[in-house]
Amino acid sequence: MNATPPVSVIMPVLNEERYLRTSVRHILEQEYDGEMEVVIALGPSTDRTDEIAAELVRETASDKRRVHTVPNPTGRTPAALNAAIQASRHPIVVRVDGHGMLSPNYIATAVRLLEETGAQNVGGVMHAEGENAWEDAVAAAMTSKIGVGNAAFHTGGEAGPAETVYLGVFRREALEQQGGYNVEFIRAQDWELNFRIREAGGLIWFSPELRVQYRPRPSVKALAKQYKDYGRWRHVVARYHQGSINLRYLAPPTAVCAIAAGLVVGAALTPLGFVIPAGYLAAIAAGSVPAGKGLPLKARLQIPVALATMHMSWGYGFLTSPRSLARKVIASRRPAVKTGETESV
């Protein structure tokens, strides 16, 4: 591989007016000597996202690092990613979300790691950072083990092979070989694509050297929807690929069932039932103390709310995920394509 191969950065966006310009600036200011393009796939936004994207296209029209846009009328993330991949042209493809901020040497480091490891995809840490007390609380919850367990891309860890990684920096040949993302995976599309890459003999590599600043959801309602969707689609993944579930994924639905049972028993039979929800509240309150170290009091006080929202929403989504959704996704299963064969994106 060329030491500085040209790269294509692809961005699926929908209602990202708050962070889109800043996110693109972090891309265009990368400390990377190679050629670069940015392809933004525009969903049907109801805010100023399209207007901001058009401004970015005009502002970079005469620059070496240009921004282009492609339409994504479905608004679905995997369809947006596939559209952006098709519109891009370079051998390295970097996925970035509209609220993600790349560290200055992210692309240079990722390209080096692709060369050093021989991986088909490399990724790193989803480093959550807030801009107000609530977002700081969510960020603390998302980067603590009591919030997300031992997920390396949230909490950090040793470099090495991984099942999946946050976002990803791909060799184009791997994306083309597998035919891109499966559009039926509205969530967890990264996991499913990386699963096929691994099945075909490719390596997925995690490294804590790679960091992307992530802006948490701005309200309890938005956070609850995000984590309900996570749980819903993680159950789809479990049904899609038996054996992929572990205790970390079972903890939230177990907590939801236990708390619900405790409340029912406490209200109908004996106050001892309330020990379970009370114990949960005590646990997240205690876990919030180290998670909130160094934060202002207002943020620290909101960490238990963020933790409970994440746990309960994820668990509820997992428990209520319909089998019909999993059957639809399983019916669209794409077999892994071995080296030498190619599907169209």
Side-chain angles (χ1 to χ4, degrees):
M1 185 189 297
N2 183 338
T4 54
V7 300
S8 297
V9 181
I10 60 172
M11 300 183 70
V13 299
L14 180 69
N15 294 326
E16 291 286 3
E17 69 172 0
R18 185 178 178 189
Y19 295 120
L20 179 58
R21 177 172 287 279
T22 305
S23 181
V24 171
R25 177 174 58 79
H26 278 75
I27 297 168
L28 298 177
E29 294 177 357
Q30 283 289 293
E31 298 169 359
Y32 186 68
D33 294 333
E35 185 180 349
M36 186 187 305
E37 64 175 353
V38 182
V39 182
I40 303 174
L42 296 171
S45 296
T46 56
D47 61 8
R48 294 184 59 253
T49 295
D50 287 12
E51 181 181 337
I52 294 169
E55 292 171 357
L56 291 167
V57 170
R58 289 194 298 270
E59 292 166 9
T60 62
S62 59
D63 297 343
K64 290 184 178 180
R65 296 181 173 181
R66 299 182 182 180
V67 176
H68 310 278
T69 62
V70 293
N72 173 38
T74 70
R76 294 182 171 186
T77 300
L81 291 165
N82 285 344
I85 291 167
Q86 286 184 316
S88 66
R89 55 198 174 91
H90 293 320
I92 303 298
V93 179
V94 181
R95 176 182 171 176
V96 181
D97 286 342
H99 45 271
M101 316 296 166
L102 301 185
S103 54
N105 63 346
Y106 180 88
I107 291 177
T109 301
V111 170
R112 172 176 61 77
L113 289 171
L114 284 173
E115 177 67 19
E116 290 177 355
T117 65
Q120 301 299 304
N121 180 22
V122 299
V125 177
M126 176 183 179
H127 183 64
E129 287 188 3
E131 294 186 326
N132 54 48
W134 165 251
E135 291 179 1
D136 284 342
V138 176
M142 291 181 68
T143 54
S144 69
K145 290 189 176 181
I146 192 174
V148 295
N150 61 351
F153 69 84
H154 280 297
T155 61
E158 297 293 327
E163 283 191 354
T164 191
V165 290
Y166 179 54
L167 300 178
V169 177
F170 298 84
R171 298 177 189 267
R172 175 178 292 277
E173 62 197 38
L175 295 172
E176 293 179 344
Q177 180 179 318
Q178 299 304 327
Y181 291 85
N182 184 334
V183 296
E184 296 297 338
F185 272 83
I186 308 305
R187 298 286 185 272
Q189 66 274 157
D190 298 298
W191 183 94
E192 192 276 338
L193 174 58
N194 286 320
F195 171 70
R196 281 185 282 132
I197 290 174
R198 289 187 290 107
E199 268 200 330
L203 175 65
I204 310 300
W205 189 265
F206 167 81
S207 174
E209 291 183 78
L210 298 171
R211 293 170 66 86
V212 181
Q213 267 186 14
Y214 170 86
R215 297 302 187 211
R217 294 298 192 269
S219 67
V220 172
K221 181 179 178 180
L223 183 67
K225 182 182 184 306
Q226 178 187 20
Y227 272 78
K228 185 190 76 172
D229 288 345
Y230 282 173
R232 176 186 177 96
W233 281 91
R234 194 61 188 79
H235 205 163
V236 171
V237 167
R239 288 166 170 158
Y240 177 91
H241 179 53
Q242 294 184 0
S244 66
I245 206 71
N246 60 39
L247 293 177
R248 176 165 66 91
Y249 297 124
L250 293 176
T254 300
V256 169
C257 291
I259 290 170
L263 291 173
V264 169
V265 170
L269 299 176
T270 171
L272 290 175
F274 293 123
V275 170
I276 297 175
Y280 171 76
L281 292 176
I284 62 172
S288 298
V289 175
K293 187 177 180 180
L295 291 179
L297 178 61
K298 187 176 181 181
R300 295 202 306 270
L301 292 175
Q302 295 184 78
I303 294 175
V305 179
L307 287 170
T309 301
M310 290 162 57
H311 293 162
M312 296 298 102
S313 300
W314 202 103
Y316 176 78
F318 188 94
L319 291 168
T320 59
S321 182
R323 287 187 177 274
S324 59
L325 180 59
R327 285 195 293 268
K328 181 180 179 182
V329 166
I330 291 169
S332 72
R333 187 192 298 270
R334 293 182 177 185
V337 180
K338 304 297 182 181
T339 303
E341 303 173 353
T342 303
E343 281 194 19
S344 59
V345 176

